[in-house]
Every structure is written in structure tokens, then in C-alpha cells.
Amino acid sequence: MIDIHAHILPLVDDGAKSAIESLSLCETALKNSIEAIVATPHFNKYEEIKKKSQLRDERISELQTYLDTNKCPISIYPGFEVYCGEEIAQVTDFSDFTINKSRYMLCEFDFFEPDALVFMQIIDHIVKCGVVPIIAHPERYKAFLEDYESLNYIRRWGALYQLNAGSFTGAYGRGERRLAITMLQCGFCDFIATDAHSIHSRSTNLKEMLIDSQIDFASGELDIMTVHNPRRILENEEITDIKRGFITYDALD
Ligand SMILES: [Fe+2]
């Protein structure tokens, strides 16, 4: 499997606190059948993109060497979890923001913003700049929790959805679990990732979390979300078989 969302790098954000913790997270990932991880540090100061990219790439290089020395066969790829506030409208060239220099960008939003329209305007701008937004953990935002149907519009514009494995176990709450399962059932789950931050709380135990969730994933479905779609991103290939369902509050009933 390939984890496309993890705060695996040491001392760049609120993720791993040391190289030893990064190694532990990678060893846990390996035990969970993960062979590659996209390092996605939080990023919100758009004017610092060159500086942050350089720091991230140095940390990746150091971690990769450390993993090799410790015989931990995991490949680390570059990405960011880009905070998408209204100021992002000033950015038009996202080439340094995307995952592995592809057309795909992992996008985070304000958890407490109540109005989905705010997100929709930002996503519209990103799409018009030629970038495919991957919405990080949509099941955790107030705006979507209170307005499931806004997810339909964003979907039509080409946005992809990355759900956190922990949402399926209920780690973030009952409402988040309900929205995650509804999105899965409506075909609105293109990726499942860990969003790992620490060996103590949110870790890289992807397989364990999927088993703990007690969700009966359809045959092959899990492979698409954890292997095939992530691979297409790393290779900057188009994701052609996007499911286009329609989500409503009563989809579970
Ligand atoms: Fe994250």
C-alpha cells in the first residue's frame, strides 16, 4: 500500500518529533503492508514555498538514508498538506505545492468554517489553475458534516477525496464515522490514508485500523484506494475510474 498523507518527517511540523520516531512510524507502516509514504508536512505560508520545499527535501533525503541504514524498505515521496484559506486565490502556480511534482495537491481546509460555499470558491480557483485537488479528510470538516450535499458539487468539478483510516474506526467521533461510511458507500472515497502524526496517537497502522473498523470493503475496492490510485498520483497519471455517485444525508438509511 501507499500512504499519501503522513506527517512522517522529523521536526518540520506537529508530526514526528525526532528521526527515531520517524523510523518507528516507518517500521509500523512496513508491518501494515505500506511500501511507500508521501511526506505531507502542513504548509500555509505561500510566500515561503521555496524555503519549505528545500527543508522538506533535505529531511526526506536524511530520512531515506536513515531508513536504508536501518534496513527499513520504505520509499518516501515529497508532498505538502496545503492549507487552503482565502489567500490562496493569490497563488496561480502550484507546481511546487503538489505531490511528487504531479497535477495532484493535498488540500486542507478550516475545520470550523461553517459555510461550504467558502471551500467551493477556493476549490474552483485551484481547479482553474490546472490542479486536481485531493481534499484531505473531508469527513472531519464542520461545513461538510452539516451539508453533505455540497460534496456533490465539488466532486463534479473534479475534486478527489482522501479519507482518514481513523475515521472508519470512530477515532474522530460518531458524526465523522457516519460521514466517512456514507462517502464510501456513495463512491466518494478515492484514497484512504493514515494522516499519521505520532507513534503515540495517530500512527501508521493502516491495516490494523481497517480491520478494527469492521467495515466489509468490496472486493478490490481497498486496492484501488490504497494502491492503484496512490500509484497513479506518484506517476502523474490520470485517475479515470472515478465513481460519480450522489451523496445525501439518508444514503445510509
Ligand atoms: Fe494531515
Side-chain angles (χ1 to χ4, degrees):
M1 295 194 283
I2 299 168
D3 187 1
I4 67 158
H5 182 173
H7 302 266
I8 199 85
L9 299 178
L11 303 170
V12 291
D13 62 2
D14 59 345
K17 300 281 186 292
S18 65
I20 291 172
E21 186 170 29
S22 297
L23 175 62
S24 295
L25 283 163
C26 289
E27 286 172 339
T28 298
L30 195 59
K31 284 183 200 146
N32 280 265
S33 306
I34 292 170
E35 63 192 50
I37 297 173
V38 181
T40 54
H42 290 288
F43 175 72
N44 60 4
K45 290 187 178 151
Y46 310 127
E47 68 280 8
E48 294 185 2
I49 183 63
K50 294 291 177 199
K51 193 172 108 186
K52 295 285 181 189
S53 297
Q54 193 181 355
L55 175 65
R56 176 201 61 194
D57 293 347
E58 282 170 14
R59 289 276 197 275
I60 289 177
S61 173
E62 289 162 7
L63 178 58
Q64 196 69 71
T65 303
Y66 193 45
L67 293 175
D68 295 346
T69 306
N70 285 278
K71 306 207 174 348
C72 183
I74 295 234
S75 302
I76 311 291
Y77 292 89
F80 282 117
E81 182 177 16
V82 180
Y83 180 76
C84 296
E86 289 175 30
E87 311 77 43
I88 207 164
Q90 294 158 22
V91 181
T92 52
D93 178 4
F94 288 96
S95 52
D96 290 327
F97 294 59
T98 59
I99 294 176
N100 205 31
K101 293 274 179 190
S102 70
R103 75 194 81 171
Y104 300 99
M105 181 166 83
L106 187 65
C107 301
E108 182 180 45
F109 294 87
D110 182 345
F111 282 90
F112 304 106
E113 166 61 53
D115 186 358
L117 195 60
V118 173
F119 296 176
M120 291 161 80
Q121 287 166 343
I122 294 168
I123 290 165
D124 180 53
H125 167 71
I126 292 168
V127 170
K128 282 179 176 156
C129 291
V131 171
V132 179
I134 299 176
I135 315 297
H137 39 64
E139 74 282 8
R140 297 190 59 206
Y141 301 122
K142 181 181 170 75
F144 295 143
L145 283 161
E146 293 182 356
D147 178 8
Y148 281 23
E149 295 189 6
S150 57
L151 291 161
N152 293 310
Y153 297 98
I154 299 168
R155 185 66 156 176
R156 263 180 239 145
W157 300 341
L160 302 174
Y161 295 128
Q162 175 264 302
L163 277 61
N164 281 6
S167 295
F168 292 106
T169 67
Y172 304 100
R174 291 178 64 183
E176 287 80 351
R177 184 170 193 268
R178 182 186 163 93
L179 178 51
I181 293 173
T182 308
M183 290 185 73
L184 179 72
Q185 293 191 341
C186 293
F188 278 21
C189 179
D190 304 297
F191 309 92
I192 298 179
T194 65
D195 195 5
H197 278 71
S198 154
I199 49 172
H200 303 295
S201 53
R202 278 186 275 170
S203 185
T204 42
N205 55 333
L206 180 54
K207 207 168 166 184
E208 283 172 23
M209 286 192 277
L210 294 172
I211 293 167
D212 285 352
S213 73
Q214 299 187 324
I215 291 169
D216 196 9
F217 290 94
S219 172
E221 189 177 45
L222 213 46
D223 278 353
I224 290 172
M225 297 180 293
T226 60
V227 180
H228 302 309
N229 283 349
R231 177 66 64 197
R232 287 174 183 141
I233 288 180
L234 293 181
E235 294 174 2
N236 196 22
E237 288 177 2
E238 192 177 350
I239 296 178
T240 51
D241 48 356
I242 299 169
K243 291 188 188 170
R244 298 192 188 276
F246 191 85
I247 193 166
T248 62
Y249 285 97
D250 57 0
L252 271 186
D253 301 329

